[in-house]
Amino acid sequence: MLKSLLRYQSDSGNVSENLMRKKLYENGVTNSLQSNFALLLKLSEELLDKWLSYPESQHVPLCQHMLGFAMKSVTQMTMGSTFEDEQEVIRFQKNHGTILEDSMIFSLASCIITAKLCTWAVCFLTTYEEVQKKLYEEIDQIFGKGPVTPEKIEELRYCRQVLCETVRTARLTPVSARLQDIEGKIDKFIIPRETLVLYALGVVLQDPSTWPSPYKFDPERFDDESVMKTFSLLGFSGTQECPELRFAYMVTTVLLSVLVRRLHLLSVEGQVIETKYELVTSSKEEAWITVSKRY
């Protein structure tokens, strides 16, 4: 789990083997999302129904609900009913121990990253009403009164910008680590091969020389292709994107499409959310919201 959250790559094999395993992860994530889209939509609608049943004045414990949603989504989508029989687990472990270990690491990391991304995205939407309004307008334009489908999900450009800005502003993963595959050099300093290099992403993500008004939540900054390229180089999109985050992006996109379509997401007056920076950034205390029906 630690290795996955840090995006740490052991070089116990070789570079080509690591690349092959990364490609397998990526294909696995893509296939899982495609084949389990109906399940993800069902879980999102179950949460919507729960929130619709609440009185408008009732406070919703956001962190708790997002963790529960993420755990159900990740475990059911990655494992399904494969390991209901303990003998099947034993057999699989004997024949495919490394794959099972990687699957467990992926599931645990995905649960945490997905839960926190969902939590922070909703928090920012409750704080920045104009962003929530624009996201609702995009969702309404793309889906209308029709169903949420995988094809139309891909058209939610502004939603993707909201999630990228959520990752940046919340500093979702404030640290990353990589083993240096080849010898590197920065100015006069040599980084030997197989050196563990730590990246202070939390600092880079709010560096004013890269991000104008770095503490402002502004999804439209990602309209700029050069900004997206910078984000990709940091591992938050494109070919460098870690599989767990790509999984979290899709799960959160579906959830927001379902929730924002039917609900106004509202902040609790007077609440101050303090941040706790760990491997994945979270709030120190429970984050509370209220909801009201759009229709």
Side-chain angles (χ1 to χ4, degrees):
M1 178 179 177
L2 179 64
K3 290 191 296 184
S4 183
L5 290 175
L6 288 176
R7 298 202 285 281
Y8 173 91
Q9 292 182 343
S10 171
D11 207 19
S12 56
N14 52 51
V15 175
S16 61
E17 180 183 337
N18 287 335
L19 291 173
M20 181 183 70
R21 289 176 68 180
K22 184 175 184 293
K23 188 67 176 178
L24 286 173
Y25 293 156
E26 292 172 349
N27 291 339
V29 171
T30 300
N31 293 337
S32 178
L33 290 169
Q34 290 175 347
S35 60
N36 289 285
F37 187 86
L39 171 62
L40 178 55
L41 187 59
K42 174 177 174 288
L43 294 173
S44 299
E45 290 173 343
E46 286 177 358
L47 183 62
L48 171 66
D49 290 340
K50 180 186 291 186
W51 287 11
L52 283 170
S53 70
Y54 292 161
E56 291 195 358
S57 59
Q58 181 165 329
H59 290 186
V60 178
L62 183 61
C63 298
Q64 177 183 320
H65 283 204
M66 293 299 97
L67 179 58
F69 169 76
M71 289 182 67
K72 288 194 293 184
S73 298
V74 173
T75 55
Q76 290 185 41
M77 290 177 70
T78 57
M79 296 300 175
S81 60
T82 303
F83 299 128
E84 289 181 354
D85 183 349
E86 64 181 39
Q87 293 303 314
E88 176 64 16
V89 177
I90 295 170
R91 187 197 66 79
F92 196 91
Q93 170 64 27
K94 287 179 179 179
N95 297 323
H96 310 286
T98 301
I99 295 176
L100 182 59
E101 178 185 340
D102 287 346
S103 298
M104 293 298 102
I105 291 172
F106 174 84
S107 297
L108 288 170
S110 294
C111 278
I112 295 174
I113 292 175
T114 300
K116 301 310 178 186
L117 180 59
C118 289
T119 299
W120 286 116
V122 172
C123 280
F124 286 129
L125 289 176
T126 64
T127 304
Y128 297 88
E129 294 181 5
E130 71 281 2
V131 174
Q132 184 176 169
K133 180 176 182 292
K134 186 169 181 178
L135 177 59
Y136 168 74
E137 289 171 350
E138 178 182 68
I139 291 170
D140 186 57
Q141 178 183 359
I142 297 298
F143 297 113
K145 298 299 181 182
V148 175
T149 64
E151 295 76 21
K152 289 188 176 181
I153 280 287
E154 296 296 327
E155 299 178 34
L156 294 174
R157 176 182 171 84
Y158 186 70
C159 186
R160 178 66 178 214
Q161 293 175 359
V162 168
L163 296 184
C164 288
E165 183 68 342
T166 296
V167 169
R168 189 199 68 80
T169 307
R171 292 181 277 189
L172 189 69
T173 54
V175 64
S176 179
R178 291 278 183 176
L179 277 181
Q180 188 74 13
D181 291 330
I182 59 174
E183 184 176 274
K185 186 176 181 181
I186 300 178
D187 295 329
K188 61 180 179 180
F189 299 101
I190 301 296
I191 303 176
R193 183 177 180 273
E194 296 189 0
T195 299
L196 180 61
V197 180
L198 299 178
Y199 298 88
L201 294 177
V203 176
V204 176
L205 287 172
Q206 295 190 354
D207 180 357
S209 65
T210 304
W211 313 97
S213 303
Y215 302 110
K216 179 183 179 183
F217 186 77
D218 179 18
E220 293 185 16
R221 73 172 78 239
F222 286 94
D223 272 336
D224 189 333
E225 288 188 12
S226 66
V227 173
M228 284 301 298
K229 183 177 180 180
T230 300
F231 214 54
S232 176
L233 292 173
L234 294 174
F236 294 112
S237 66
T239 58
Q240 299 293 323
E241 185 177 272
C242 74
E244 293 89 351
L245 186 56
R246 186 149 61 88
F247 187 95
Y249 274 139
M250 177 56 76
V251 173
T252 310
T253 299
V254 175
L255 179 64
L256 292 182
S257 298
V258 170
L259 294 181
V260 174
R261 195 181 191 187
R262 294 290 311 277
L263 296 170
H264 288 282
L265 307 174
L266 306 166
S267 60
V268 172
E269 187 175 352
Q271 177 180 219
V272 177
I273 299 177
E274 295 186 49
T275 305
K276 180 168 61 175
Y277 295 106
E278 298 177 318
L279 293 177
V280 181
T281 302
S282 62
S283 59
K284 288 185 178 180
E285 306 289 342
E286 179 60 84
W288 299 88
I289 66 168
T290 61
V291 300
S292 65
K293 300 173 185 177
R294 291 187 187 273
Y295 63 87

